[in-house]
């Protein structure tokens, strides 16, 4: 499968929305992430690939603020994120999906999406309390519901009032994407969006992604399956043993020795 | 509205079903309310499962004995007495509701045979419904404290009376420093201030006051504190049972030379005597209401023994239950019928000089508009001692309350 | 059976199936106006309750007890059922509500009605403090430490005689409004109205953004955080709301009974508080109210053989937990879905938002 | 403090320690706080006391049967209530807590209905008592201490030396991982519940002679054991015992110094402080992954 990152030249002019510089994270003596630097620009899709145990998940956790980096510097737009809790990342314009869909199974599709759009209303304890009081009297979700309906339509999600438990895994991933997109993020991180999905889900996801980037969003796709990701992204970042092994266009990456070494072992030829 | 979906598809159906259930409950309740129109109904709040269940059954036996006796003798003005009961388990949240339910089921008079706290919780009902309420065994003067006492009566002597008797006895015996050990049950804690107040008013100094958790398994810390305070007399207050035994054993062990006093509960509970170590109760003075020299008491004891069955041992509770029914009978006779509840309350207040079956020979009960405690003086009490066999024995030779 | 046949994506709302006009149309109508239906039916149930309480006077106590327990259960609803924080100090909140009314009327000489807001604010404040101190705890540890708080509170009521009146408690003066003392019957009506209003508000709250956030916090707290919301603060606010509602129930109870006593606020309250919402059903605040109704019926009507009411209640709880985790309303809901399916319409509201 | 109080501290420590050891086993084996252990201890003790006082059973027989019943009920609650609910909810914590609290409530009410709601006196296995330096030591207290030390030593040896013991620790650390490794998770959990129930039964039977037992005693007993675990932590088998000693010392000293009412305040304050400052107790477990 060969794919040429045709549009990459144009998109290079976009501003840098996510940047990691020399990020490192170790547990005890184990260095899970070593001096990783990468950046994602507006309107660009970057794939972060590597085999299991390459340090992808740790890097994602560090970027999202779920774990704190030992060294290095992470920025979303111009905002320094290092050491901030994950909810600050969201307020800086960062959205994500999860490797295992994080959805409340006994709640509806609409409700699971809705939370993606209300973060700024819950900024402080007092505002949370205000939301509780207001919520008891007036739902105040008219505009949000319209946007949810639009998004659902775009992403091909049907039956907003179904319980999430009734959805297929592919549909659940779409719900996560909708949640992440509800408040038009500047940076979107998709964590293994294709794992376990059916082919229809993959094509839906691909369509959705191209629309998202058109709106100037920076997208980072994390996956261990290089084949699917390569067809989709402008650039690939290959991780191995905690460090970046290769960066470049998908075509370059697939042809590279590093890729072969990482995926097929040093002896493979 | 459709924008506002409720996922509780069936919530309201269930509510409707529940409401239906309630309605059907309406119907059955009305039927259940049919206490025979020809009977005079005594509604009794009792406790078979809570804190007062240790003594309430004795009272019930006394009450039933009196009712049977009166019915056998032709009833009151040709009408038979009938007892209906509700169990509140000493849970004061339930008492008012159950009291009202007794009234709904036809009760003409209420007997409060549960804890003092229950009586207090239920007395608002007595006033609001203007119905005569008698608490046969409760000792707390708070039950009949104004305001809100218009319809409730106790027999007495109250905890204050007990305090006065203790005070007089302790003074006469020359004690100076008192230590109090009480369990933390609300009923007992309610007695503490009245009792201790009366004793300290008599010039005896309170050097220690200790609380014991009702389900305590260890009292050594409290006993050590008492010991450190150096009292020459100790007053133990509990509902009886294991807690009392625990304390008495420890006192017997740790402060063998200090005189001990206790409440009626230990005198009335043979099971507690067995829990105490051998000889641990010897010399203990308790305040009882049973005077072996009172002929009326022995007469009652004989009837009770003849009747037999559970809880037919002679206790003050049984006598007081028995007497409370006869008090009610006197009011009923005077009022002519039970139909006018307000009048029944008034005639109860006219009772004077009733000779109860407990206390000393000269003891009488009288009531009045402002006299809701029946006892005419403290000779309703008897101070008795325990013998070496852990059983109640002779009257305390030092002092006996008088009227 | 393949994935796709098992879970067909439901495309659009079917029209009323041909030839099944009557009942199916009714179901659709009800579903479309579910919210109005809920208001109407619960209002009718409240009216029935008032009608029931208009009979013999013991029923007024009965109804007020249902309302007290109803508010207690509704107080558990937001923090526990929706938000997943199992804080057990509810005997304290109920007690604070009752004692606030008692203290304000006996010590300050004001109308005991002032005790209502004071109790609510005080309870909420204590809930926040407890919540802040235990914010890192979950599950068993939170349950344990709040239980200890409940024990300490009861000891406080018994022990601080100068403040709480000790074992015998304190009287709560008949509440007065504009110089008029409020009658028992009126208190009962107010109680029913309170439960209904709180129930309706919580039903709305459940569907509001706050409700959605709080419920998601229970299952997927990391999503709440990733959406820019502090899961911890959301939980603490829910604890405060629950405590205030519980305190409201305590005030109602105190004003009706005319007395606040330590024995009314013992640990048995905690058991009731946990089990009532589960018994009735977690999907709706009305489940909590239904649970309260069942509890009162159990304690007063089900002493079949002496003193077995609570035992039967305990067994019922285990059976519900084991066999009908959705509670009684859940069972009814299942029946409803089956009924709808037989009519050929889906019981769920599948329409997208248009 | 007078010598007599030190003896009380030792007795209370051993009792709380035994309950806490039960908690420790279930926490280690199933990652659950088995709050119903106190009521299980109560149930065993009430059964024994009832049989001795009403049916004239020999004390030893009543104690043994009581312990077997406590252990059996513990296993039954795991099999019939806790495990099915644990499984249905995918190991969520709150439903498990509610299930255990429901068992606790049921045991209380069952005991109240079967054995009556009034306190029953426990019967001593060893009725003698000895006076040492003015303080009285009952034979039963000596028995309690001996059994306590034996139980702790035995469990420590079992955890380290036996295959099941080592599996127990693995399951509690990560049930899913243990299942993947082929450890019989269900069996290990059952063993933990059975042992905890038996320990509770022994503790209840031996301690009931001190102050009798009522159907409501169980909750208090649970709280004492809970506190011991909170203070001691889970870092070592002996941690619950250390926690129990500290709690017993503090409670006895508080009552001696300030009277009964302070006990519950101090109890709550200790729990509160430990939760706020050292939530994993004195002896912490090593980092789990």
């Amino acid at each position: 499968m060969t794919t040429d990152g045709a549009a990459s030249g144009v998109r290079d002019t976009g501003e840098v929305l996510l940047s990691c510089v020399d990020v490192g994270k170790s547990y005890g003596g184990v260095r899970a992430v070593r001096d990783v630097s990468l950046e994602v620009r507006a309107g660009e899709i970057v794939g972060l690939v590597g085999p299991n145990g390459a340090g992808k998940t740790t890097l994602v956790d560090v970027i999202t603020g779920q774990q704190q980096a030992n060294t290095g510097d992470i920025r979303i737009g111009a905002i320094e994120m290092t050491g901030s809790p994950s909810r600050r990342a969201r307020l800086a314009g960062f959205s994500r999906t999860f490797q295992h869909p994080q959805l409340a199974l006994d709640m509806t599709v609409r409700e699971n999406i809705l939370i993606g759009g209300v973060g700024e209303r819950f900024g402080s304890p007092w505002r949370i309390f205000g939301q509780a009081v207001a919520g008891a009297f007036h739902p105040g979700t008219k505009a949000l519901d319209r946007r949810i309906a639009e998004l659902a339509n775009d992403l091909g999600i049907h039956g907003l009032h179904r319980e999430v438990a009734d959805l297929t895994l592919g549909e659940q991933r779409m719900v996560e994407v909708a949640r992440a997109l509800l408040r038009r993020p500047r940076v979107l991180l998709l964590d293994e969006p294709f794992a376990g999905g059916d082919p229809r889900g993959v094509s839906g996801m691909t369509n959705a992604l191209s629309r998202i980037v058109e709106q100037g969003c920076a997208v980072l796709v994390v996956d261990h399956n290089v084949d699917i990701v390569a067809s989709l992204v402008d650039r690939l970042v290959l991780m191995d043993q905690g460090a970046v092994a290769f960066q470049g266009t998908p075509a370059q990456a697939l042809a590279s020795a590093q890729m072969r070494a990482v995926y097929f072992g040093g002896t493979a030829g | 509205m459709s924008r506002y979906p409720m996922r509780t598809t069936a919530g309201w159906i269930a509510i409707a079903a529940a409401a239906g259930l309630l309605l059907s409950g309406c119907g059955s309740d009305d039927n259940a309310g049919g206490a025979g129109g020809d009977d005079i109904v005594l509604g009794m709040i009792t406790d078979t499962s809570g804190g007062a269940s240790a003594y309430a059954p004795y009272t019930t036996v006394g009450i039933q004995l009196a009712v049977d006796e009166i019915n056998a003798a032709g009833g009151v003005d040709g009408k038979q007495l009938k007892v209906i009961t509700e169990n509140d388990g000493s849970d004061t949240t339930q008492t008012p509701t159950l009291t009202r339910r007794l009234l709904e089921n036809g009760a003409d008079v209420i007997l409060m045979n549960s804890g003092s706290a229950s009586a207090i919780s239920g007395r608002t009902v007595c006033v609001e419904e203007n119905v005569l309420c008698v608490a046969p065994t409760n000792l707390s003067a708070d039950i009949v404290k104004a305001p809100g006492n218009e319809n409730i009566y106790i027999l007495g002597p109250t905890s204050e009376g007990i305090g006065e008797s203790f005070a007089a006895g302790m003074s006469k015996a020359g004690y100076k420093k008192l230590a109090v050990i009480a369990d933390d049950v609300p009923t007992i804690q309610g007695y503490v201030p009245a009792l201790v107040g009366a004793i300290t008013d008599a010039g005896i100094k309170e050097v220690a006051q200790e609380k014991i958790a009702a389900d305590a398994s260890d009292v050594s810390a409290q006993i050590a504190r008492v010991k450190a305070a150096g009292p020459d007399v100790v007053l133990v207050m509990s509902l009886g049972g294991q807690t009392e035994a625990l304390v008495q054993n420890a006192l017997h062990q740790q402060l063998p030379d200090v005189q001990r006093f206790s409440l009626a509960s230990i005198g009335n509970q043979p099971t507690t005597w067995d829990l105490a170590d051998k000889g641990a109760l010897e010399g203990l003075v308790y305040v009882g209401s049973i005077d072996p020299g009172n002929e009326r008491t022995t007469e009652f004891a004989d009837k009770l023994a003849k009747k037999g069955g559970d809880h037919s041992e002679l206790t003050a509770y049984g006598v007081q239950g028995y007497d409370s029914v006869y008090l009610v009978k006197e009011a009923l006779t005077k009022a002519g019928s039970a139909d006018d509840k307000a009048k029944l309350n008034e005639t109860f207040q006219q009772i004077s000089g009733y000779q109860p079956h407990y206390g000393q020979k000269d003891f009488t009960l009288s009531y009045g508009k402002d006299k809701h405690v029946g006892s005419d003086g403290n000779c309703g009490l008897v101070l008795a001692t325990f013998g070496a066999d852990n059983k109640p024995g002779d009257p305390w030779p030092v002092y006996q309350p008088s009227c | 059976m393949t994935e796709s046949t098992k879970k067909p994506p439901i495309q659009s709302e079917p029209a009323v199936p041909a030839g099944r006009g009557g009942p199916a149309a009714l179901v659709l109508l009800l579903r479309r106006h579910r919210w109005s239906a809920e208001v109407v039916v619960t209002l009718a149930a409240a009216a029935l309750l008032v009608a029931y309480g208009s009979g013999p006077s013991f029923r007024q106590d009965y109804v007020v007890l249902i309302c007290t327990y109803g508010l207690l259960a509704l107080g558990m609803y937001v923090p526990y059922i929706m938000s997943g924080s199992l804080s057990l100090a509810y005997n304290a909140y109920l007690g604070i509500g009752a004692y606030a009314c008692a203290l304000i009327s006996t010590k300050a000489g004001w109308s005991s009605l002032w005790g209502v807001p004071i109790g609510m604010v005080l309870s909420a404040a204590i809930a926040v403090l407890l919540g802040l101190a235990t914010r890192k705890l979950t599950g068993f540890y939170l349950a344990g430490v709040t239980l200890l708080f409940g024990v300490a509170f009861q000891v406080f009521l018994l022990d601080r005689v100068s403040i709480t009146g000790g074992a015998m408690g304190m009287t709560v003066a008949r509440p007065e409004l504009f110089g008029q003392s409020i009658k028992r019957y009126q208190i009962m009506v107010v109680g029913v109205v309170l439960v209904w209003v709180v129930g309706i508000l919580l039903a709305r709250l459940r569907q509001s953004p706050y409700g959605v956030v709080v419920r998601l916090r229970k299952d997927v707290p990391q999503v709440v955080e990733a959406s820019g919301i502090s899961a911890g603060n959301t939980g603490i606010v829910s604890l405060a709301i629950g405590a205030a509602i519980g305190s409201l129930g305590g005030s109602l109870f105190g004003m009706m009974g005319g007395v606040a006593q330590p024995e009314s606020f013992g640990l048995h309250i905690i058991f009731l508080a946990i089990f009532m919402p589960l018994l009735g059903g977690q999907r709706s605040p009305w489940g909590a109210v239904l649970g309260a109704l069942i509890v009162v019926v159990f304690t007063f009507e089900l002493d079949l053989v002496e003193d077995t009411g609570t035992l039967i209640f305990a067994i019922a709880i285990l059976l519900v937990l084991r066999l009908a985790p959705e509670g009684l309303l859940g069972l009814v809901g299942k029946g409803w879905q089956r009924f709808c399916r037989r009519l050929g319409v889906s019981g769920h509201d599948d329409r997208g938002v248009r | 403090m007078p010598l007599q109080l030190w003896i009380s501290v030792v007795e209370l420590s051993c009792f709380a320690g035994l309950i806490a050891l039960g908690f420790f086993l279930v926490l280690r084996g199933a990652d659950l706080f088995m709050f119903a252990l106190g009521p299980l201890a109560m149930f065993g003790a009430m059964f024994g006391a009832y049989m001795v006082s009403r049916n004239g059973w020999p004390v030893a027989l009543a104690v043994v049967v009581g312990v077997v019943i406590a252990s059996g009920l513990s296993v039954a609650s795991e099999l019939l209530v806790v495990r099915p609910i644990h499984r249905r909810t995918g190991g969520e914590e709150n439903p498990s807590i509610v299930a255990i609290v429901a068992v606790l409530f049921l045991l209380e009410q069952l005991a109240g209905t079967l054995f009556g709601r009034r306190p029953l006196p426990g019967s001593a296995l060893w009725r003698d008592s000895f006076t040492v330096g003015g303080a009285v030591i009952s034979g039963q207290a000596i028995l309690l201490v001996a059994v306590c030390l034996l139980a702790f030593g035995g469990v420590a040896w079992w955890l380290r030396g036996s295959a099941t013991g080592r599996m127990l620790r693995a399951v509690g650390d990560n049930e899913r991982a243990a299942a993947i490794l082929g450890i019989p998770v269900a069996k290990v959990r059952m063993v933990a519940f059975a042992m905890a129930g038996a320990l509770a039964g022994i503790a209840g039977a031996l301690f009931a002679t001190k102050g009798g037992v009522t159907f409501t005693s169980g909750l208090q007993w649970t709280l004492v054991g809970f506190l011991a675990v909170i203070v001691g932590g889970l870092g070592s088998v002996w941690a619950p015992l250390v926690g129990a000693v500290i709690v017993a010392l503090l409670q006895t000293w508080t009552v001696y110094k300030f009277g009964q009412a302070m006990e519950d305040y101090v109890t709550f304050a200790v729990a509160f402080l430990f939760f706020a400052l050292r939530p994993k107790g004195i002896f912490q477990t090593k980092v789990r992954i």
Side-chain angles (χ1 to χ4, degrees), chain C residues 70-239:
Chain C
L71 287 170
L72 176 67
L74 286 172
M76 286 297 271
Y77 193 75
V78 181
Y80 166 42
I81 301 293
M82 277 167 63
S83 175
S85 313
L86 192 45
S87 166
L88 298 182
Y90 273 73
N91 66 324
Y93 305 142
L94 209 64
I96 288 170
Y99 274 89
C101 291
L103 281 167
I104 210 79
S105 57
T106 54
K107 302 257 154 120
W110 297 2
S111 166
S112 48
L113 283 177
W114 284 105
V116 177
I118 292 172
M120 288 172 78
V121 170
L122 197 62
S123 295
I126 288 177
V128 168
L129 286 179
L130 261 180
L132 283 174
T134 57
R135 69 185 299 163
K136 290 206 179 118
L137 303 179
T138 53
F140 290 97
Y141 296 93
L142 182 63
V145 76
T146 47
L147 191 63
L148 284 171
F149 179 79
V151 174
F153 178 78
Q154 213 196 2
V155 170
F156 170 81
L157 289 185
L158 278 171
D159 189 52
R160 295 290 108 186
V161 179
S162 57
I163 304 171
T164 63
M168 288 298 151
M170 313 180 75
T171 45
V172 181
R174 225 345 71 100
E176 283 186 4
L177 198 60
F178 308 121
Q180 292 278 315
S181 108
I182 304 176
K183 294 192 182 63
R184 286 166 45 78
Y185 181 76
Q186 291 163 328
I187 296 179
M188 178 199 74
V189 175
V190 169
V192 174
V193 170
L194 272 179
V195 172
W196 183 75
V197 169
V198 172
I200 285 285
L201 289 180
L202 289 189
R204 297 187 67 115
L205 185 72
R206 194 184 139 84
Q207 305 295 327
S208 75
Y210 174 82
V212 169
V213 169
V214 159
R215 282 188 288 146
L216 283 165
R217 176 191 179 272
K218 180 179 176 184
D219 290 339
V220 283
Q222 61 275 50
V223 168
V224 174
E225 287 281 340
S227 302
I229 302 167
S230 159
N233 287 344
T234 314
I236 286 173
V237 168
S238 73
L239 287 171

Side-chain angles (χ1 to χ4, degrees), chain C residues 20-43:
Chain C
R20 300 202 196 176
L26 190 68
V27 166
L28 284 179
L29 187 77
L30 273 178
R31 221 175 54 195
R32 188 151 302 146
H33 300 283
R34 188 176 292 167
W35 176 242
S36 326
E38 177 165 332
V39 170
V40 169
V41 172
T42 51
L43 203 55

Side-chain angles (χ1 to χ4, degrees), chain A residues 135-266:
Chain A
F137 292 95
H138 185 72
T141 55
K142 216 178 204 174
L144 268 178
D145 275 329
R146 214 174 299 131
R147 172 111 177 93
I148 291 172
E150 271 171 36
L151 261 178
N153 200 28
D154 289 353
L155 297 173
I157 301 169
H158 302 288
L160 282 175
H161 292 275
R162 281 190 289 165
E163 273 182 23
V164 169
D166 295 339
L167 304 184
T168 61
L169 184 59
E171 287 176 299
Q172 290 189 0
R173 291 201 184 282
M174 277 311 198
V175 171
E176 281 222 315
V177 173
R179 178 173 70 202
L181 291 180
L182 187 57
R183 214 199 59 150
R184 292 206 178 87
R186 302 176 71 199
V187 182
L188 175 65
L189 184 147
L190 300 175
D191 199 350
E192 306 223 359
F194 306 111
D198 47 78
R200 207 181 38 180
V202 173
S203 74
M205 188 71 75
T206 315
N207 292 339
L209 271 184
S210 56
R211 247 189 314 259
I212 295 162
V213 248
E214 275 164 28
Q215 293 165 355
C217 185
V219 180
L220 181 65
V221 180
V222 184
D223 212 313
H224 62 264
N225 187 338
V226 188
D227 290 345
I228 297 177
V229 176
S231 65
L232 187 77
V233 300
D234 303 312
R235 247 171 347 105
L236 266 179
V237 176
L238 174 67
M239 270 185 90
D240 185 39
Q241 294 176 15
V244 173
F246 184 83
Q247 288 206 42
T249 64
Q252 293 165 341
L254 289 172
S256 71
Q258 286 92 337
M259 182 66 82
R260 255 173 287 143
V262 169
Y263 273 93
F264 307 108

Side-chain angles (χ1 to χ4, degrees), chain A residues 19-239:
Chain A
S19 82
C20 300
V21 180
D22 295 338
V23 172
K25 171 78 186 173
S26 45
Y27 306 101
V30 185
R31 292 178 69 192
V33 174
R34 315 174 184 205
D35 305 329
V36 170
S37 298
L38 62 84
E39 54 185 39
V40 189
R41 291 166 183 273
E44 184 188 33
I45 306 178
V46 173
L48 178 65
V49 294
N52 285 325
K56 296 189 306 281
T57 307
T58 309
L59 182 62
V60 168
D61 282 352
V62 168
I63 292 174
T64 58
Q66 270 172 341
Q67 296 188 48
Q68 304 308 325
N70 301 118
T71 58
D73 183 71
I74 299 163
R75 282 167 194 275
I76 292 169
I79 304 168
E80 167 75 51
M81 291 308 302
T82 320
S84 303
S86 57
R87 62 174 178 276
R88 245 201 83 205
R90 177 67 185 87
L91 298 172
F94 178 89
S95 276
R96 68 169 297 188
T97 66
F98 294 85
Q99 185 180 352
H100 305 287
Q102 296 290 315
L103 299 164
L105 296 181
D106 60 345
M107 293 172 66
T108 64
V109 172
R110 169 187 170 272
E111 288 169 332
N112 273 288
I113 297 176
L114 184 78
I115 191 172
V118 297
E120 70 280 8
R121 298 189 198 176
F122 289 77
S124 69
W126 287 112
R127 297 192 65 191
I128 294 172
F129 181 69
Q131 277 295 306
V133 174
F137 292 95
H138 185 72
T141 55
K142 216 178 204 174
L144 268 178
D145 275 329
R146 214 174 299 131
R147 172 111 177 93
I148 291 172
E150 271 171 36
L151 261 178
N153 200 28
D154 289 353
L155 297 173
I157 301 169
H158 302 288
L160 282 175
H161 292 275
R162 281 190 289 165
E163 273 182 23
V164 169
D166 295 339
L167 304 184
T168 61
L169 184 59
E171 287 176 299
Q172 290 189 0
R173 291 201 184 282
M174 277 311 198
V175 171
E176 281 222 315
V177 173
R179 178 173 70 202
L181 291 180
L182 187 57
R183 214 199 59 150
R184 292 206 178 87
R186 302 176 71 199
V187 182
L188 175 65
L189 184 147
L190 300 175
D191 199 350
E192 306 223 359
F194 306 111
D198 47 78
R200 207 181 38 180
V202 173
S203 74
M205 188 71 75
T206 315
N207 292 339
L209 271 184
S210 56
R211 247 189 314 259
I212 295 162
V213 248
E214 275 164 28
Q215 293 165 355
C217 185
V219 180
L220 181 65
V221 180
V222 184
D223 212 313
H224 62 264
N225 187 338
V226 188
D227 290 345
I228 297 177
V229 176
S231 65
L232 187 77
V233 300
D234 303 312
R235 247 171 347 105
L236 266 179
V237 176
L238 174 67
M239 270 185 90

Side-chain angles (χ1 to χ4, degrees), chain B residues 294-370:
Chain B
N294 187 334
E295 284 164 16
R296 295 191 298 275
T297 308
T298 45
E299 184 194 326
F300 169 80
D302 289 345
K303 285 179 193 163
L304 201 59
K306 214 157 90 195
K307 192 183 174 198
D310 276 351
H311 302 107
S312 60
E313 302 92 339
L314 176 63
T315 63
Y317 309 125
V319 198
Q320 287 167 340
Y322 183 82
D323 279 326
S324 61
V325 175
Y326 272 97
L327 286 168
V328 169
K329 184 197 169 212
E330 205 171 314
L332 278 167
T333 315
K334 263 185 206 152
S337 82
D339 300 338
D340 186 348
K341 293 205 170 79
K343 189 165 180 208
L344 196 55
N345 190 38
E346 279 164 30
T347 53
F348 195 86
Q349 293 179 354
Q350 292 161 15
I351 292 173
S352 166
Y354 172 84
Q355 293 190 311
H357 297 72
Y358 67 100
Q360 299 174 33
K361 210 173 273 172
D362 302 331
F363 181 54
T364 56
L365 299 173
S366 306
Y367 293 92
K369 198 162 176 24
D370 297 315

